[in-house]
Amino acid sequence: MTSPTELIPAPGAIEGPMRRAVPLTPGTTLWAGPGTETTERWLRSTLGAALGLPLRPGPDDAPDSLRLRIDGTLAPEAYRLAAVADRGVEITGGSAAGVFWGAQTLRQLLGPDAFRAAPVRQGGTREIPHQIIEDAPRFRWRGLMLDVARHFMPKDGVLRYLDLMAAHKLNVLHFHLTDDQGWRIEIKRYPRLTEVGSWRARTKFGHRASPLWDDRPHGGYYTHDDIREIVAYAAERHIDVVPEIDVPGHSQAAIAAYPELGNCDVVDTASLTVWDTWGINPNVLAPTDNTLRFYEGVFEEVLELFPSRFVHVGGDECPKDQWRRSPAAQARVEELGLAGEDELQSWFIGHFDDWLSARGRRLIGWDEILEGGLAKGAAVSSWRGYQGGIAAARAGHDVVMCPEQQVYLDHRQDAGADEPVPIGYVRTLEDVYRFEPVPPELTPEEAGHVLGTQANVWTEVMENQQRVDYQVFPRLAAFAEVAWSSLPAPAVRDFADFERRMTAHYRRLDALGVAYRPPAGPLPWQRRPGVLGRPIDGAPPLR
Ligand code: ACM
């Protein structure tokens, strides 16, 4: 039996637990009120399957039952879980999503076996203590950004990450689908994006200063059907998938596929290949009508596949050198009456801002897109620190806080010599736990523009699922609590209590098969001796 004080993320209020127990048995029935079908399906397919509980349909007044209902008087994602002796368990949510988050809490109350793929024993009775939990998220955007461009994650791995997100009550997958090192989404009208752009011949192993190469080709992409499956699987778990197609920088894979997209008057773009190393790439899109029409075609297919209100257009790290040297780009600057090539960036983003708005979507981009002004509905992912987010909120734009100094999970999580491929800042579990998404400089009204927060997982040094797991966990558990729970100010957050609850949470992660970083450091097989991952002495922390 699990104590409710072992929940992660911590809930708002708990009445109890009392000594009396509420059993769940093979005879326990499930009543799912109108609108609660996603949770009904999840309970049978996941929780019931893990514990050997059939959860057969039953009436709403059976004493030994699990009941789900929506109560519109609760906040949309809020829930109330009442486990009452002789009355079974009732989960009431403000919406279908609220009921689903309540079911995630129920799973934690049932102990680590509830996180297995199959029962360790058949149809055993489970008990949870009599208690009432009332809970609601602090933020409506509780995100994880997954970079599947630097290293491809096959579809099943993405579905697994959606399950891991759901278990932590995270509700936005920011899907980084394109970059210099790979194009990962089928675009039917431009087949070379995946024929050429989804594979690279070799890959730098470790930091870009490393002398090591993995000489095997690397690649892969999602078909339209794969994407539909991912989006549907996410929707079943009340997770939005926000696609990112990065423009006008981070585009070498696209240019390798269609050389006319690049600045071909100053670079031999026909000789470019999908990039095999890391860093900021000079080969950016040419500011031509052809490029705009091409990407409108890309976005048309993206909009068909992703129902998400927000569409991410990247906009980060776009060196302007080629535009400075390109007669065609300079002619464009002239024709548009711009002050210089720097303004081509905001012209680019502004075009897609209008284009997406006209289609009922909202543009979101990295904080560089603020330079040059933004349309009213556009939102900003604040990654270079808090400043972009503060400026955006003050200008009335919505913000997702994801400062690299705090929540970039590619950064090393310990200063020790054993960290595999250690890059970036040292950001420990405690550092992430003390991350505060809303900076104190913001007035309450400005703070209202902070939609929420996300942790970003850039995968340059994560070549497989185990490496992703190692970087993401356990820190994602701390991040989930920051995003969901109403925690006190960072300095007075009770990290000792979080660590105590993590003891139970590690057992859940074990049952889920997550290759997390153990508290005492990496296991021998998790180490990567000899791989250069460290930043060069004196240089800023690098990814
Ligand atoms: C970023 O990390 N370049 C958004």
Side-chain angles (χ1 to χ4, degrees):
M1 214 147 72
T2 309
S3 150
T5 53
E6 291 179 346
L7 294 171
I8 288 181
I14 305 173
E15 194 185 303
M18 320 262 182
R19 270 215 300 280
R20 299 190 63 190
V22 182
L24 267 81
T25 72
T28 297
T29 56
L30 173 60
W31 179 81
T36 65
E37 295 78 7
T38 51
T39 304
E40 178 186 18
R41 286 192 285 269
W42 182 86
L43 282 168
R44 290 214 180 90
S45 65
T46 304
L47 192 73
L51 296 175
L53 302 174
L55 297 172
R56 293 189 181 88
D60 69 350
D61 56 358
D64 174 24
S65 67
L66 173 54
R67 300 176 301 281
L68 310 176
R69 63 178 95 237
I70 292 178
D71 172 354
T73 64
L74 295 177
E77 290 191 279
Y79 70 89
R80 181 174 187 274
L81 186 157
V84 177
D86 306 323
R87 294 221 8 89
V89 178
E90 182 157 311
I91 300 174
T92 312
S95 66
V99 175
F100 185 74
W101 305 132
Q104 301 310 309
T105 296
L106 175 66
R107 187 189 201 184
Q108 293 199 1
L109 295 175
L110 285 162
D113 284 352
F115 290 79
R116 292 183 191 283
V120 278
R121 54 192 162 96
Q122 268 309 317
T125 293
R126 306 281 161 162
E127 291 184 338
I128 61 175
H130 175 115
Q131 65 197 292
I132 295 172
I133 296 174
E134 302 206 1
D135 199 10
R138 178 177 175 201
F139 293 110
R140 62 186 147 125
W141 184 302
R142 303 180 300 279
L144 177 72
M145 190 222 70
L146 200 55
D147 166 14
V148 293
R150 269 53 176 271
H151 280 100
F152 180 59
M153 183 182 276
K155 181 191 71 186
D156 285 352
V158 178
L159 302 182
R160 173 176 175 270
Y161 259 84
L162 289 166
D163 281 326
L164 293 172
M165 289 175 66
H168 292 82
K169 300 189 173 79
L170 298 174
N171 69 344
V172 179
L173 174 66
H174 169 169
F175 208 16
H176 183 79
L177 286 164
T178 71
D179 217 303
D180 301 303
Q181 295 86 358
W183 183 284
R184 304 284 175 230
I185 175 173
E186 175 188 29
I187 300 294
K188 288 196 192 285
R189 71 190 77 182
Y190 305 128
R192 285 175 62 83
L193 284 173
T194 45
E195 282 167 16
V196 174
S198 75
W199 282 86
R200 57 179 181 256
R202 61 172 191 169
T203 300
K204 173 60 50 115
F205 197 65
H207 185 266
R208 67 172 174 270
S210 154
L212 302 178
W213 293 94
D214 182 338
D215 282 319
R216 295 169 299 178
H218 176 86
Y221 67 92
Y222 310 106
T223 63
H224 279 202
D225 279 349
D226 290 338
I227 296 280
R228 284 193 199 95
E229 188 177 340
I230 288 168
V231 168
Y233 196 88
E236 276 287 297
R237 286 152 186 77
H238 299 277
I239 298 172
D240 275 337
V241 185
V242 174
E244 181 185 349
I245 304 292
D246 210 332
V247 297
H250 287 284
S251 298
Q252 183 163 319
I255 298 168
Y258 292 94
E260 64 273 22
L261 294 174
N263 294 288
C264 20
D265 54 348
V266 285
V267 183
D268 176 18
T269 54
S271 69
L272 289 176
T273 54
V274 178
W275 211 23
D276 55 14
T277 187
W278 318 122
I280 299 180
N281 186 307
N283 295 305
V284 305
L285 297 177
T288 61
D289 287 338
N290 175 60
T291 306
L292 297 184
R293 298 294 91 74
F294 184 97
Y295 273 85
E296 286 169 3
V298 170
F299 279 115
E300 270 173 24
E301 293 190 27
V302 166
L303 296 197
E304 274 170 30
L305 294 168
F306 293 91
S308 155
R309 189 85 203 283
F310 282 103
V311 175
H312 207 292
V313 299
D316 57 323
E317 297 179 323
C318 178
K320 311 295 185 303
D321 181 59
Q322 290 183 359
W323 291 348
R324 210 168 355 262
R325 292 189 288 117
S326 155
Q330 288 302 320
R332 196 87 229 222
V333 167
E334 193 90 350
E335 175 198 328
L336 294 167
L338 305 179
E341 56 279 342
D342 283 349
E343 290 191 5
L344 282 173
Q345 154 96 3
S346 56
W347 166 77
F348 228 107
I349 299 297
H351 176 83
F352 287 104
D353 194 0
D354 293 342
W355 192 90
L356 287 168
S357 301
R359 286 154 186 81
R361 306 295 182 106
R362 289 182 64 187
L363 175 144
I364 183 165
W366 301 111
D367 56 61
E368 287 95 329
I369 69 168
L370 275 172
E371 295 154 16
L374 277 181
K376 204 73 203 142
V380 167
S381 309
S382 187
W383 76 275
R384 292 179 295 179
Y386 286 107
Q387 279 317 313
I390 292 170
R394 289 191 172 146
H397 295 290
D398 287 340
V399 176
V400 175
M401 282 293 185
C402 49
E404 61 170 340
Q405 297 83 353
Q406 272 85 4
V407 285
Y408 268 36
L409 300 185
D410 50 334
H411 290 180
R412 59 188 305 172
Q413 47 201 324
D414 190 89
D418 283 344
E419 283 311 296
V421 205
I423 57 168
Y425 304 94
V426 176
R427 287 298 174 260
T428 64
L429 181 63
E430 178 165 1
D431 292 329
V432 174
Y433 192 66
R434 296 194 191 283
F435 165 58
E436 172 49 48
V438 179
E441 294 93 315
L442 294 183
T443 64
E445 198 199 326
E446 291 161 357
H449 282 296
V450 180
L451 296 177
T453 180
Q454 69 183 30
N456 292 345
V457 182
W458 301 102
T459 56
E460 287 94 331
V461 298
M462 294 171 224
E463 70 281 8
N464 59 36
Q465 183 174 289
Q466 285 75 23
R467 281 288 295 127
V468 176
D469 278 7
Y470 182 93
Q471 294 302 128
V472 171
F473 290 100
R475 292 182 294 183
L476 195 70
F479 174 79
E481 185 146 310
V482 167
W484 176 278
S485 308
S486 293
L487 296 177
V492 294
R493 280 182 197 165
D494 190 348
F495 181 66
D497 181 65
F498 176 76
E499 271 192 308
R500 183 188 59 73
R501 286 179 286 123
M502 275 307 292
T503 308
H505 204 65
Y506 285 120
R507 300 293 77 76
R508 298 174 194 134
L509 297 178
D510 285 334
L512 286 165
V514 174
Y516 56 84
R517 179 187 190 278
L523 302 171
W525 66 267
Q526 292 175 318
R527 296 185 188 138
R528 291 284 189 284
V531 178
L532 180 59
R534 288 163 206 293
I536 309 304
D537 279 350
L542 291 172
R543 294 203 316 279

